[in-house]
Each structure stands twice: as C-alpha cells, then as structure tokens.
C-alpha cells in the first residue's frame, strides 16, 4: 500500500522494528494495514488490551457496537480507540476507498513513567490516555523541530502526512528519512532524540506510547 524509504535505526531514533508497509508484530503490538472499499465492512476485535484504528485517508465510516451506530467523517491522522475487550464493526459508508492501520495492544510494558510526559515536548498534542496507552498527534510544519527529548515508554508510530524528517541523536548521529503515508515503526523505551521537518510540506505522525 505504501512506498518510500525504509527508516534506518538512526532515522527512527533508536526504533528497532521498522516497516514501510506490511505489518509490525511483537510481544506488545500487532499492527497491520487494511483498506475498505465503499460498502465493505471490517470487524475490529480487541485482544483484551485494546485496539486503535489510525486512518490514512479521508472518508466516511460507520462504527457499530451492537447497540449503537455512529457515523464519522475521518481524515488522515484521525483515529478510533476501542479499549479493553470490546469490538466494533466498521463499515465504509462513503464514496471512496479508505485506508487505515489496525493497531492491536497485545501486551503492556509495566514501565513506570510520568503521565502525559510527552505533552510537554513541542509539537506533541496529547489526544487521549488511560491505564494502557497515551495517544499523541505530532504535527511538523516545514522547519519545525521538537528539540532533544526523551521517550520513557515503548511506542508505535504511523506516518499520516508525508514529509522529510531529520533525526539527531545525543551522540551527534544524524539520520534523514523520506516518509510516506502509512509507514510505521516501533521504538523501544528510553529513546532520546531531536526531530526536525526539513521538507517543504507539513508532516504528521500519530504516536501511541505503551504503559
């Protein structure tokens, strides 16, 4: 579904599981790309910890839980979180195909860290948090940078607006990556890096930090 350069460890800022499309699976996460054509439906069933759907396209979907149905207009970078062991049926009720990433929370890390700690980092907007995860939307205008910052938790990120990102590590190592919509990667805990948009388009990432 997605093309573009695969992130290197340096470009990912210490991430050690990177995939430009396809899937990422480990003891904490199972993340896979899906697409829904108009009229098609997909069941979103949590493994017990929760599931997050990150949208990559604009469209209209209906989400049904067996009792209620809600219709949402979605855009790249919007998401839907199903906590616990609940499930939803998502139907594409719009006129165009919709792509998204289904992120299953397979396991929790048990890492003790300050709540919402990345909300203090420039460009990071905390969207939602509970006892399992924190969800951030990170938007880089051209030339914007985060400054050197620290990720106390493990996390998963998916690119929702394409761009060119420069990563600087504390030891001075610099990585450069052309990121495409839908690229995703997993990073370990205790990652420290600075991120800067060196392209001429606004770049956006949805970052999910594991608890």
């Amino acid at each position: 579904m997605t093309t573009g350069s695969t992130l290197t460890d340096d470009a990912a800022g210490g991430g050690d599981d990177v995939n430009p499309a396809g899937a990422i699976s480990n003891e904490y996460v199972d993340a896979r790309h899906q697409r829904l054509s108009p009229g098609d439906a997909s069941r979103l069933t949590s493994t017990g910890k929760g599931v997050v759907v990150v949208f990559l396209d604009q469209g209209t979907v209906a989400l049904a839980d067996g009792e209620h149905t809600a219709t949402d207009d979605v855009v790249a970078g919007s998401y839907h979180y199903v906590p616990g062991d609940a499930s939803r049926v998502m139907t594409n009720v719009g006129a165009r195909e919709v792509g998204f990433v289904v992120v299953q929370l397979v396991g929790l890390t048990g890492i003790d860290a300050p709540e919402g700690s990345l909300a203090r980092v420039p460009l990071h907007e905390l969207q939602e948090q509970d006892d399992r995860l924190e969800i951030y939307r990170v938007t880089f205008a051209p030339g914007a940078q985060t400054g050197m910052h620290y990720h106390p938790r493990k996390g998963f990120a998916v690119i929702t607006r394409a761009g060119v990102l420069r990563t600087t590590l504390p030891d001075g190592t610099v990585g450069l990556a052309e990121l495409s919509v839908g690229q995703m990667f997993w990073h370990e805990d205790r990652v420290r890096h600075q991120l800067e948009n060196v392209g001429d388009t606004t770049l956006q990432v949805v970052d999910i930090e594991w608890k």
Side-chain angles (χ1 to χ4, degrees), residues 1-2 17-35 44-45 47 50-54 56 100-107 155-159 182-187 206-208 210:
M1 164 183 161
T2 310
D17 196 354
V18 185
N19 200 318
I24 286 180
S25 183
N26 60 34
E27 62 184 303
Y28 303 108
V29 63
D30 187 85
R32 301 178 186 276
H33 286 262
Q34 291 190 27
R35 298 196 71 84
L44 308 173
T45 302
T47 57
V51 58
V52 182
V53 178
V54 181
L56 305 176
F100 51 95
V101 177
V102 178
V103 186
Q104 288 278 359
L105 282 73
V106 178
F156 170 88
V158 58
I159 307 303
Q183 274 188 271
M184 54 189 182
F185 58 94
W186 173 263
H187 70 75
V206 172
D207 180 34
I208 305 170
W210 258 239

Coordinates of all heavy atoms in Angstrom, one line a residue, residues 1-2 17-35 44-45 47 50-54 56 100-107 155-159 182-187 206-208 210:
M1 N 0.8 -1.2 0.0 CA 0.0 0.0 0.0 C 0.9 1.2 0.0 O 0.5 2.3 -0.5 CB -0.9 0.0 1.2 CG -1.5 1.3 1.6 SD -2.5 1.2 3.1 CE -2.5 2.9 3.4
T2 N 2.0 1.2 0.6 CA 2.8 2.4 0.8 C 4.2 2.2 0.2 O 4.7 1.1 0.3 CB 3.0 2.7 2.3 OG1 1.7 2.6 2.9 CG2 3.6 4.0 2.6
D17 N 12.3 -1.9 15.1 CA 11.3 -2.7 14.3 C 10.6 -1.7 13.4 O 9.8 -1.0 13.9 CB 10.3 -3.4 15.2 CG 9.6 -4.5 14.5 OD1 9.8 -4.7 13.3 OD2 8.8 -5.3 15.2
V18 N 11.0 -1.8 12.2 CA 10.5 -0.7 11.2 C 9.9 -1.4 10.0 O 10.5 -2.4 9.5 CB 11.7 0.2 10.8 CG1 11.2 1.3 9.9 CG2 12.4 0.7 12.0
N19 N 8.8 -0.9 9.5 CA 8.2 -1.4 8.3 C 7.6 -0.3 7.5 O 6.7 0.4 8.0 CB 7.2 -2.5 8.7 CG 6.8 -3.4 7.6 OD1 6.7 -3.0 6.4 ND2 6.7 -4.7 7.9
P20 N 7.9 -0.2 6.2 CA 7.3 0.9 5.4 C 5.9 0.6 5.0 O 5.2 1.4 4.6 CB 8.2 0.9 4.2 CG 8.7 -0.5 4.1 CD 8.9 -1.0 5.5
A21 N 5.4 -0.6 5.1 CA 4.0 -1.0 4.8 C 3.7 -2.2 5.7 O 3.9 -2.2 6.8 CB 3.9 -1.3 3.3
G22 N 3.2 -3.3 5.1 CA 3.0 -4.6 5.7 C 2.5 -4.6 7.1 O 1.4 -4.2 7.4
A23 N 3.3 -5.1 8.0 CA 2.9 -5.3 9.4 C 4.0 -5.2 10.4 O 5.2 -5.4 10.0 CB 2.2 -6.7 9.5
I24 N 3.7 -4.9 11.6 CA 4.7 -5.0 12.7 C 4.1 -5.8 13.8 O 2.9 -5.5 14.2 CB 5.1 -3.6 13.2 CG1 6.0 -2.9 12.2 CG2 5.8 -3.7 14.6 CD1 6.5 -1.5 12.6
S25 N 4.8 -6.8 14.3 CA 4.3 -7.6 15.3 C 5.4 -8.0 16.3 O 6.5 -8.4 15.9 CB 3.7 -8.9 14.7 OG 3.1 -9.7 15.7
N26 N 5.1 -7.8 17.6 CA 6.0 -8.3 18.7 C 5.2 -8.6 19.9 O 3.9 -8.7 19.8 CB 7.1 -7.2 18.9 CG 6.6 -5.9 19.4 OD1 5.5 -5.8 20.1 ND2 7.2 -4.8 19.0
E27 N 5.8 -8.7 21.1 CA 5.1 -9.1 22.3 C 4.1 -8.0 22.8 O 3.3 -8.3 23.7 CB 6.0 -9.5 23.4 CG 6.9 -8.4 23.9 CD 7.9 -8.8 24.9 OE1 7.5 -9.4 25.9 OE2 9.2 -8.7 24.6
Y28 N 4.2 -6.8 22.2 CA 3.4 -5.7 22.7 C 2.3 -5.2 21.7 O 1.3 -4.7 22.0 CB 4.2 -4.5 23.1 CG 5.3 -4.8 24.1 CD1 6.6 -4.9 23.8 CD2 4.9 -5.0 25.4 CE1 7.6 -5.2 24.7 CE2 5.8 -5.3 26.4 CZ 7.2 -5.4 26.0 OH 8.1 -5.7 27.0
V29 N 2.6 -5.4 20.4 CA 1.8 -4.8 19.3 C 1.7 -5.8 18.1 O 2.6 -6.5 17.8 CB 2.4 -3.5 18.9 CG1 3.8 -3.7 18.2 CG2 1.5 -2.7 17.9
D30 N 0.5 -5.7 17.5 CA 0.3 -6.3 16.2 C -0.4 -5.3 15.4 O -1.6 -4.9 15.6 CB -0.5 -7.6 16.3 CG -0.6 -8.3 15.0 OD1 0.3 -9.1 14.7 OD2 -1.6 -8.1 14.2
A31 N 0.3 -4.7 14.4 CA -0.2 -3.6 13.6 C -0.2 -4.0 12.1 O 0.8 -4.5 11.6 CB 0.6 -2.4 13.8
R32 N -1.3 -3.8 11.4 CA -1.5 -4.2 10.0 C -2.3 -3.2 9.2 O -3.2 -2.6 9.8 CB -2.1 -5.6 9.9 CG -1.3 -6.7 10.7 CD -2.0 -8.0 10.6 NE -1.2 -9.0 11.5 CZ -0.1 -9.6 11.0 NH1 0.3 -9.4 9.8 NH2 0.5 -10.4 11.8
H33 N -1.9 -3.1 8.0 CA -2.7 -2.2 7.1 C -3.9 -2.9 6.6 O -3.9 -4.1 6.3 CB -1.8 -1.8 5.8 CG -0.7 -0.8 6.1 ND1 -0.9 0.5 5.9 CD2 0.5 -1.0 6.7 CE1 0.2 1.1 6.2 NE2 1.1 0.3 6.7
Q34 N -5.0 -2.1 6.4 CA -6.2 -2.6 5.8 C -6.8 -1.5 4.9 O -6.5 -0.3 5.1 CB -7.3 -3.0 6.8 CG -6.9 -4.2 7.6 CD -8.1 -4.7 8.5 OE1 -9.2 -4.5 8.1 NE2 -7.8 -5.4 9.6
R35 N -7.6 -1.9 4.0 CA -8.4 -0.9 3.1 C -9.8 -1.4 3.0 O -10.1 -2.6 3.0 CB -7.8 -0.8 1.7 CG -6.3 -0.2 1.8 CD -5.9 0.2 0.4 NE -6.6 1.5 0.0 CZ -6.2 2.7 0.4 NH1 -5.1 2.8 1.1 NH2 -6.8 3.8 0.0
L44 N -13.6 -5.0 14.1 CA -12.4 -4.6 14.9 C -12.6 -5.3 16.3 O -13.4 -4.8 17.1 CB -12.4 -3.1 15.1 CG -12.5 -2.3 13.8 CD1 -12.6 -0.8 14.1 CD2 -11.2 -2.6 12.9
T45 N -11.9 -6.3 16.5 CA -12.0 -7.1 17.8 C -10.7 -6.9 18.6 O -9.6 -7.3 18.1 CB -12.3 -8.6 17.5 OG1 -13.5 -8.7 16.7 CG2 -12.4 -9.3 18.8
T47 N -7.9 -7.7 21.4 CA -7.3 -8.9 22.0 C -7.5 -8.9 23.5 O -7.0 -9.8 24.2 CB -5.8 -9.0 21.7 OG1 -5.1 -7.8 22.2 CG2 -5.6 -9.2 20.2
G50 N -7.0 -3.7 24.0 CA -7.5 -2.6 23.2 C -7.0 -2.6 21.8 O -6.1 -3.3 21.5
V51 N -7.6 -1.8 20.9 CA -7.2 -1.7 19.5 C -7.5 -0.3 19.1 O -8.4 0.4 19.5 CB -8.0 -2.7 18.6 CG1 -9.5 -2.5 18.7 CG2 -7.6 -2.6 17.2
V52 N -6.5 0.3 18.3 CA -6.6 1.6 17.8 C -6.5 1.5 16.3 O -5.7 0.9 15.7 CB -5.4 2.5 18.3 CG1 -5.5 3.9 17.8 CG2 -5.3 2.5 19.8
V53 N -7.5 2.3 15.7 CA -7.5 2.4 14.2 C -7.0 3.8 13.8 O -7.6 4.8 14.3 CB -8.9 2.1 13.7 CG1 -8.9 2.3 12.1 CG2 -9.4 0.7 14.0
V54 N -6.0 3.9 13.1 CA -5.4 5.1 12.6 C -5.7 5.3 11.1 O -5.3 4.4 10.3 CB -3.9 5.2 12.9 CG1 -3.4 6.6 12.4 CG2 -3.6 5.0 14.3
L56 N -5.7 6.7 7.3 CA -4.7 7.3 6.4 C -5.3 8.1 5.2 O -4.6 8.7 4.4 CB -3.9 6.1 5.8 CG -3.2 5.2 6.8 CD1 -2.5 4.1 6.1 CD2 -2.3 6.0 7.7
F100 N -6.3 2.4 6.4 CA -6.1 2.6 7.8 C -5.2 1.6 8.4 O -4.9 0.5 7.7 CB -7.4 2.6 8.6 CG -8.3 1.4 8.4 CD1 -8.2 0.3 9.2 CD2 -9.2 1.4 7.3 CE1 -9.0 -0.9 8.9 CE2 -10.0 0.2 7.0 CZ -9.9 -0.9 7.9
V101 N -4.6 1.8 9.6 CA -3.8 0.8 10.2 C -4.5 0.4 11.5 O -5.0 1.2 12.3 CB -2.4 1.4 10.6 CG1 -1.6 0.4 11.4 CG2 -1.7 1.9 9.4
V102 N -4.6 -1.0 11.7 CA -5.2 -1.5 12.9 C -4.1 -1.9 13.8 O -3.3 -2.7 13.5 CB -6.1 -2.8 12.5 CG1 -6.7 -3.4 13.8 CG2 -7.2 -2.4 11.6
V103 N -4.1 -1.3 15.0 CA -3.0 -1.4 16.0 C -3.6 -2.2 17.2 O -4.4 -1.6 18.0 CB -2.5 -0.1 16.4 CG1 -1.2 -0.3 17.3 CG2 -2.1 0.8 15.2
Q104 N -3.3 -3.4 17.3 CA -3.7 -4.2 18.5 C -2.7 -4.1 19.6 O -1.5 -4.2 19.4 CB -3.8 -5.7 18.1 CG -4.9 -6.1 17.2 CD -6.3 -6.3 18.0 OE1 -6.3 -6.1 19.2 NE2 -7.3 -6.5 17.2
L105 N -3.2 -3.8 20.8 CA -2.4 -3.8 22.0 C -2.3 -5.2 22.6 O -3.3 -5.7 23.1 CB -3.0 -2.9 23.1 CG -2.7 -1.4 23.0 CD1 -3.6 -0.8 21.9 CD2 -3.1 -0.7 24.3
V106 N -1.2 -5.9 22.3 CA -1.1 -7.3 22.7 C -0.7 -7.5 24.1 O -1.1 -8.4 24.8 CB -0.1 -8.0 21.7 CG1 0.1 -9.5 22.1 CG2 -0.5 -7.9 20.3
G107 N 0.3 -6.6 24.5 CA 0.8 -6.7 25.9 C 1.1 -5.3 26.4 O 1.3 -4.4 25.6
G155 N 6.9 2.5 22.2 CA 5.8 3.1 21.4 C 5.8 2.7 20.0 O 6.7 2.1 19.4
F156 N 4.7 3.0 19.3 CA 4.4 2.7 17.9 C 4.0 4.0 17.3 O 3.2 4.8 17.8 CB 3.3 1.7 17.8 CG 2.7 1.5 16.4 CD1 3.3 0.6 15.6 CD2 1.7 2.2 16.0 CE1 2.9 0.3 14.3 CE2 1.2 2.0 14.7 CZ 1.8 1.1 13.8
A157 N 4.5 4.3 16.0 CA 4.2 5.5 15.3 C 3.8 5.1 13.9 O 4.3 4.2 13.3 CB 5.3 6.5 15.3
V158 N 2.8 5.9 13.3 CA 2.5 5.7 11.9 C 2.4 7.1 11.3 O 2.0 8.1 11.9 CB 1.1 5.0 11.8 CG1 0.0 5.7 12.5 CG2 0.7 4.8 10.3
I159 N 3.0 7.2 10.1 CA 3.0 8.5 9.4 C 1.6 8.7 8.7 O 1.2 7.9 8.0 CB 4.1 8.5 8.3 CG1 5.5 8.1 8.9 CG2 4.2 9.8 7.6 CD1 5.9 9.0 10.0
G182 N 1.5 6.0 5.9 CA 1.3 4.6 6.2 C 2.6 4.0 6.7 O 2.5 2.9 7.3
Q183 N 3.7 4.6 6.5 CA 4.9 4.0 7.1 C 4.8 3.9 8.7 O 4.2 4.8 9.3 CB 6.2 4.8 6.8 CG 6.8 4.4 5.5 CD 8.1 5.1 5.3 OE1 8.2 6.2 4.8 NE2 9.2 4.5 5.7
M184 N 5.3 2.9 9.2 CA 5.1 2.7 10.7 C 6.3 2.1 11.3 O 7.1 1.4 10.6 CB 3.8 1.8 11.0 CG 3.8 0.5 10.3 SD 2.2 -0.3 10.5 CE 2.5 -1.9 9.6
F185 N 6.5 2.4 12.6 CA 7.7 1.8 13.3 C 7.4 1.7 14.8 O 6.6 2.4 15.3 CB 9.0 2.5 13.0 CG 9.0 4.0 13.3 CD1 9.4 4.4 14.5 CD2 8.5 4.9 12.4 CE1 9.5 5.8 14.9 CE2 8.5 6.3 12.7 CZ 9.0 6.7 13.9
W186 N 8.1 0.8 15.4 CA 8.1 0.5 16.8 C 9.4 1.0 17.4 O 10.4 0.8 16.9 CB 7.9 -0.9 17.1 CG 8.0 -1.3 18.5 CD1 9.2 -1.8 19.2 CD2 7.0 -1.3 19.5 NE1 8.9 -2.0 20.5 CE2 7.5 -1.7 20.7 CE3 5.7 -0.9 19.5 CZ2 6.8 -1.8 21.9 CZ3 4.9 -1.0 20.6 CH2 5.5 -1.4 21.8
H187 N 9.3 1.8 18.5 CA 10.5 2.2 19.2 C 10.5 1.6 20.6 O 9.5 1.5 21.3 CB 10.7 3.7 19.2 CG 9.7 4.5 20.1 ND1 9.8 4.5 21.4 CD2 8.7 5.2 19.7 CE1 8.9 5.3 21.9 NE2 8.1 5.7 20.9
V206 N 1.1 10.0 14.1 CA 0.3 9.5 15.3 C 1.2 8.6 16.1 O 1.6 7.6 15.6 CB -1.0 8.9 14.9 CG1 -1.7 8.3 16.1 CG2 -2.0 9.9 14.2
D207 N 1.4 9.0 17.3 CA 2.4 8.2 18.2 C 1.6 7.6 19.4 O 0.9 8.3 20.1 CB 3.4 9.2 18.7 CG 4.4 8.4 19.6 OD1 4.7 7.3 19.4 OD2 4.9 9.1 20.6
I208 N 1.7 6.3 19.5 CA 1.0 5.6 20.6 C 2.1 5.1 21.6 O 2.9 4.3 21.2 CB 0.1 4.4 20.1 CG1 -0.8 4.9 19.0 CG2 -0.6 3.8 21.2 CD1 -1.6 3.8 18.3
W210 N 3.1 3.0 24.9 CA 2.6 1.9 25.7 C 2.8 2.1 27.2 O 3.9 2.6 27.6 CB 3.3 0.6 25.3 CG 2.5 -0.3 24.4 CD1 2.2 -1.6 24.7 CD2 2.0 0.0 23.1 NE1 1.5 -2.1 23.6 CE2 1.4 -1.2 22.7 CE3 2.0 1.1 22.3 CZ2 0.7 -1.3 21.4 CZ3 1.4 1.0 21.1 CH2 0.8 -0.1 20.6

